[in-house]
Amino acid sequence: MTMNDNDKQLRFLIENKFRSLTDREFSVFMAIYQLEEERGIVTYQDIANKLNTSGSNLRNHVSSLISKGIPVGKERL
């Protein structure tokens, strides 16, 4: 299967978004992804425990991910 121009452009945009992340931001994104695969809904505390970091530090990284257009959502329960 070959990629058409739209697919190539989309792949380029996605790759560039993820390249813009710091190592820690990428680690946070991956932790969220993995925990959601395992548990469904995850909390800041779940992610902080997995990454051995504080909740306030984690909130800053999540806000940064959102501001960079990475597909992370947060919801107050």
Side-chain angles (χ1 to χ4, degrees), residues 24 28 43-45 47-49 52-64 74:
R24 192 60 171 168
V28 169
T43 65
Y44 279 114
Q45 191 61 50
I47 304 162
N49 289 343
N52 197 26
T53 190
S54 70
S56 62
N57 191 21
L58 180 64
R59 282 179 176 78
N60 291 335
H61 290 302
V62 171
S63 293
S64 180
K74 62 181 183 177

Side-chain angles (χ1 to χ4, degrees), residues 31-70:
I32 292 168
Y33 180 82
Q34 290 168 350
L35 288 168
E36 283 184 340
E37 286 290 309
E38 294 169 10
R39 303 178 189 181
I41 296 174
V42 296
T43 65
Y44 279 114
Q45 191 61 50
D46 295 332
I47 304 162
N49 289 343
K50 183 170 181 71
L51 296 174
N52 197 26
T53 190
S54 70
S56 62
N57 191 21
L58 180 64
R59 282 179 176 78
N60 291 335
H61 290 302
V62 171
S63 293
S64 180
L65 288 171
I66 292 169
S67 72
K68 290 181 176 184
I70 302 300

